Amino acid sequence: MSSLGDQKGLSLDRLQTLCLVAEKGGVMAAAGGNPNRQSLYSRQLRELEAFFGAALIDRRQAPHSLTELGRQVEKMARGFFTDLEGLAQQGESGQVSIVIGAGESVIQALLIPALVTGGDTALKLVFRNLQSAAILSGLRNRRLDIGIAHDAGGHADLKSKRLLRHGVRLITSDAKLGKLGSVGWEDLKDCSLALPEGDSELRRTVAASLEDGHKHPAVVVECTSHAQVVEAVMCKGVAGIVPDFVAHRATKRGLHSLGIKELEGYSRELRVLWHPASVEMKPQIEACVRRLVRALKN
């Protein structure tokens, strides 16, 4: 059996350089302005391309991009490095780390209650607050073991399970309002609202619905997460609009949860995703997925 280690042009250093150049968008950016490092990286890439017998970097325009072969090599290399790092960490600590990417609200309202038990010292959970695009990228380069994201398609290369379908609710500390069970914008015309900022689907839906009405509440607080909306409602005396799983958690803190007539048809699906190759190194991934799905069903 031939040994790759005996062949010129292939090494861990060269593969790491390819990953770095791909991440930074070019040799110059990866070198950070250091001419010696830039020369080294250029030479390493040429040697790596000589080994594979084809271009790995498309240098025709900046920032540089990977060729199709380059993407395949980078994907393989990142998975290899992730596996090695995981084994090294496991050897040092005796623990297997499961890295989970999700939005802040999902981490607080779903993942921590479902997965954190404190009884399994052989498993270490690492939560990372990320947006959907970063979650999919992290799963593909295997920097993440599990991801939770709204289903927007484009993940056929990953394994996935439906986690839950959710709507939205109004949360408030107003006991009189809380007795209504369901409200419309006109019922809230004198209220102040806290909403997530940005261009999320929920925010766009709420904004469009508010524009359709003649009398509606004023948005006075914008937050970067639904968890922050809950805090605003707790501290500022405003009402907030959040996914129903966040609202359920908020009721345990004494807030009231109400339906919103104008948003009754709104729903989105959350999925749990993972890379099939990651399970070969960490079978605990599928156990975590089963635990999460089972906890949310209950």
Side-chain angles (χ1 to χ4, degrees):
M1 182 177 179
S2 63
S3 171
L4 288 176
D6 294 336
Q7 301 182 45
K8 294 181 179 180
L10 182 67
S11 69
L12 294 181
D13 283 344
R14 294 181 179 92
L15 290 173
Q16 284 180 318
T17 295
L18 176 68
C19 293
L20 181 62
V21 169
E23 184 177 318
K24 298 295 184 180
V27 174
M28 186 179 298
N34 185 319
N36 293 329
R37 191 176 297 161
Q38 183 175 340
S39 176
L40 171 64
Y41 289 170
S42 295
R43 176 173 56 79
Q44 287 180 324
L45 288 176
R46 288 195 301 271
E47 292 167 346
L48 198 57
E49 289 175 323
F51 173 83
F52 284 101
L56 302 177
I57 301 287
D58 186 346
R59 300 172 176 84
R60 290 174 294 181
Q61 59 183 7
H64 293 159
S65 60
L66 296 185
T67 64
E68 179 57 34
L69 177 61
R71 284 191 290 271
Q72 294 178 24
V73 174
E74 183 206 17
K75 182 179 179 181
M76 176 275 298
R78 288 195 185 278
F80 178 66
F81 291 137
T82 297
D83 290 342
L84 285 181
E85 290 169 3
L87 289 173
Q89 292 171 1
Q90 183 177 343
E92 291 176 359
S93 65
Q95 291 179 312
V96 175
S97 293
I98 302 295
V99 184
I100 306 174
E104 179 183 351
S105 304
V106 172
I107 292 172
Q108 291 190 16
L110 298 180
L111 298 182
I112 290 177
L115 295 179
V116 176
T117 63
D120 188 358
T121 58
L123 191 66
K124 180 171 72 174
L125 300 175
V126 180
F127 296 113
R128 292 183 179 164
N129 177 16
L130 299 170
Q131 295 183 343
S132 294
I135 290 169
L136 293 177
S137 175
L139 290 170
R140 289 186 173 113
N141 62 35
R142 296 175 63 189
R143 292 179 178 174
L144 295 177
D145 296 311
I146 296 173
I148 313 294
H150 282 105
D151 187 12
H155 52 71
D157 57 323
L158 303 172
K159 297 187 72 173
S160 73
K161 279 184 178 292
R162 175 177 167 176
L163 202 54
L164 58 84
R165 181 170 287 279
H166 69 84
V168 291
R169 305 279 291 180
L170 183 91
I171 53 174
T172 177
S173 59
D174 187 331
K176 292 182 180 179
L177 199 59
K179 292 179 181 179
L180 297 179
S182 181
V183 293
W185 292 139
E186 188 161 340
D187 301 315
L188 302 170
K189 62 181 181 296
D190 298 322
C191 289
S192 298
L193 282 184
L195 292 176
E197 66 176 359
D199 192 36
S200 68
E201 182 175 326
L202 172 57
R203 181 58 191 271
R204 291 195 301 271
T205 302
V206 172
S209 179
L210 289 174
E211 289 172 0
D212 289 341
H214 297 292
K215 297 180 179 179
H216 55 72
V219 178
V220 298
V221 179
E222 292 193 336
C223 305
T224 57
S225 72
H226 301 300
Q228 291 178 15
V229 173
V230 175
E231 293 303 320
V233 175
M234 293 290 296
C235 301
K236 298 294 183 182
V238 299
I241 297 176
V242 295
D244 50 25
F245 61 86
V246 176
H248 175 72
R249 190 84 174 159
T251 60
K252 296 182 178 181
R253 300 181 62 183
L255 297 178
H256 303 279
S257 171
L258 298 84
I260 305 169
K261 295 174 183 177
E262 287 84 353
L263 299 178
E264 286 179 351
Y266 177 90
S267 69
R268 296 195 73 188
E269 182 176 286
L270 272 176
R271 298 191 73 83
V272 53
L273 306 107
W274 66 103
H275 197 295
S278 297
V279 179
E280 298 177 10
M281 294 299 298
K282 295 182 181 180
Q284 297 86 351
I285 290 173
E286 290 189 330
C288 280
V289 170
R290 288 193 298 270
R291 199 163 103 202
L292 177 59
V293 172
R294 185 168 57 247
L296 294 185
K297 281 184 179 179
N298 294 335

